[in-house]
Amino acid sequence: MATIKDVAERAGVAPSTVSYVLSGSRKISEDTRRAVRAAIDELGYHPRASARTLRSARTRVLALAVPRVPGEYRAIDGRFAVDVTDAARGHDHDVLLITDEDGVGGLRRVARSGLADAAVLMAVEERDPRIEVLHELGFPAALLGHDGNAGLPWTDLDWEAAVALALHETAAAGHRRIVFLSSAEHEIAARRGYALHGLDGARRAAHETGAEVRVVSSHRDPDVLGRRLREALTAGPAPTALVVQHLILLPHLLDAVASAGRRIPDDLSLVLVGSLPDELGIRHLPRIDLPVAEMSAAVARLAIEAVELGCGTTKSPSAPLRAKTRDAPEAPASNASPGAPYHPIQPRMAGPTIAPPAGG
């Protein structure tokens, strides 16, 4: 009966290389892989059960890649980290955090060391360098966010549809002069998906509604944000509504509105896009909540399925999405079919209806 050493000698490689080809635990060149497979066929080698099951050996750990800038706090990162951990625990998995800023080095360490079975990526950028690493290493992953070129399973709120929906609803309430506070400059410069898709939604809604939509980029510096917002709100003719996607500095934003002499909702309607569900102090505002729990449950499931199916680097097309309005039929709780490689989520308005312009 042929042994793994016999296969290695016939293929001209080390026994460990044969093991790697069988287990898929390391990246092997295609020429070497073909030589090993040919030797296996020629010798009629049948790996023992222990070798065959190497690939199915699991750590039952997901690596959550959360880019962290030292000294900066984002409540949304903590909320996702907790909810992804809860979702993973429901599948009998634990979560390992990768917090380096670019995420590339951390992903390489985790993938090569076998510390986790798959990765979950947050703050996904257009042509994200972390995705190139995942493809290079053949490491299964799922994305919180999406890039049409990534070829990985993903879940996300349809940010383009969400911003478009908020602006459509604002225009439908009678507002013709609207300020849209987009994601922060550094997020747009990094080409993060939610920031770019939000801008696309604003442009689309301005074209479709005919309303005057002035786009103002937010900023990580509260003072810069306040100055930009005051200038936008006091420029004539004065806007009657403010739609906000960047909510990290919401308290500073409200201070800037007050310092501009505007009252919410008496003479300025405020609509939030991407607010945290159940966040205190915003229930009186019209908004589109970020479905954190559904996204976390979906991304954990997609990552684990990627491990089971061995499809971490398989490219899959995404489906086109459309915005839901208040008058449209209620969207299903989940619009992803079982086993689908993506889980897009349609936006929904929450809170009170948008007040019309003062005097309107």
Side-chain angles (χ1 to χ4, degrees):
M1 180 181 294
T3 68
I4 196 169
K5 290 184 179 179
D6 297 329
V7 173
E9 289 177 3
R10 177 67 63 91
V13 299
S16 60
T17 301
V18 177
S19 177
Y20 296 146
V21 170
L22 292 170
S23 67
S25 59
R26 289 197 183 180
K27 188 173 179 65
I28 302 296
S29 73
E30 190 56 36
D31 288 345
T32 301
R33 190 182 304 277
R34 279 198 294 266
V36 170
R37 288 296 180 188
I40 288 173
D41 292 340
E42 291 167 8
L43 296 174
Y45 173 68
H46 295 285
R48 293 175 299 174
S50 59
R52 289 198 305 269
T53 58
L54 280 175
R55 187 173 180 86
S56 64
R58 302 283 187 253
T59 64
R60 305 194 76 81
V61 172
L62 300 179
L64 178 60
V66 188
R68 289 278 300 125
V69 177
E72 287 195 6
Y73 172 72
R74 286 166 43 99
I76 192 67
D77 292 343
R79 181 67 178 268
F80 268 115
V82 169
D83 279 23
V84 169
T85 300
D86 289 345
R89 190 169 58 209
H91 294 278
D92 196 24
H93 280 63
D94 294 312
V95 171
L96 169 70
L97 285 179
I98 302 174
T99 58
D100 49 331
E101 271 190 71
D102 64 9
V104 170
L107 280 176
R108 287 189 185 278
R109 288 193 300 274
V110 168
R112 288 172 172 169
S113 64
L115 288 172
D117 298 329
V120 170
L121 268 57
M122 287 180 57
V124 177
E125 301 173 4
E126 189 179 72
R127 303 199 179 278
D128 196 308
R130 297 174 297 175
I131 292 172
E132 183 178 343
V133 170
L134 292 170
H135 286 308
E136 172 195 328
L137 299 175
F139 194 59
L143 312 179
L144 274 167
H146 72 284
D147 172 0
N149 300 299
L152 293 172
W154 59 267
T155 183
D156 201 6
L157 174 68
D158 184 347
W159 286 99
E160 179 178 344
V163 171
L165 172 59
L167 287 167
H168 268 279
E169 293 289 311
T170 303
H175 296 275
R176 308 308 298 166
R177 297 186 303 277
I178 307 168
V179 170
F180 171 58
L181 187 68
S182 71
S183 294
E185 270 182 1
H186 69 280
E187 295 174 316
I188 296 171
R191 303 195 67 74
R192 290 185 174 168
Y194 51 81
L196 300 181
H197 297 316
L199 289 173
D200 289 340
R203 297 187 191 102
R204 173 158 68 88
H207 174 73
E208 292 170 348
T209 64
E212 178 188 330
V213 178
R214 179 179 177 185
V215 177
V216 176
S217 297
S218 186
H219 199 278
R220 70 199 329 164
D221 185 328
D223 293 333
V224 176
L225 168 63
R227 183 172 65 252
R228 288 182 181 178
L229 199 52
R230 285 191 296 273
E231 290 173 356
L233 294 179
T234 55
T240 61
L242 173 63
V243 176
V244 181
Q245 181 181 4
H246 188 71
L247 303 178
I248 294 173
L249 299 177
L250 184 57
H252 298 284
L253 181 151
L254 296 175
D255 289 343
V257 170
S259 68
R262 309 301 295 273
R263 297 169 299 163
I264 299 171
D266 298 336
D267 51 15
L268 182 73
S269 290
L270 176 61
V271 183
L272 309 181
V273 180
S275 48
L276 284 173
D278 304 320
E279 186 174 358
L280 297 176
I282 65 169
R283 294 185 181 182
H284 64 292
L285 295 172
R287 63 193 184 277
I288 296 173
D289 284 334
L290 187 62
V292 177
E294 183 178 356
M295 291 174 66
S296 299
V299 80
R301 173 179 58 80
L302 289 168
I304 292 167
E305 287 177 358
V307 177
E308 300 298 331
L309 298 173
C311 64
T313 58
T314 300
K315 293 203 171 190
S316 305
S318 58
L321 305 177
R322 293 183 298 174
K324 170 189 174 291
T325 65
R326 287 187 186 271
D327 297 329
E330 185 69 17
S334 166
N335 54 3
S337 58
Y342 51 88
H343 183 106
I345 302 172
Q346 293 291 339
R348 297 182 177 87
M349 293 295 301
T353 58
I354 300 170

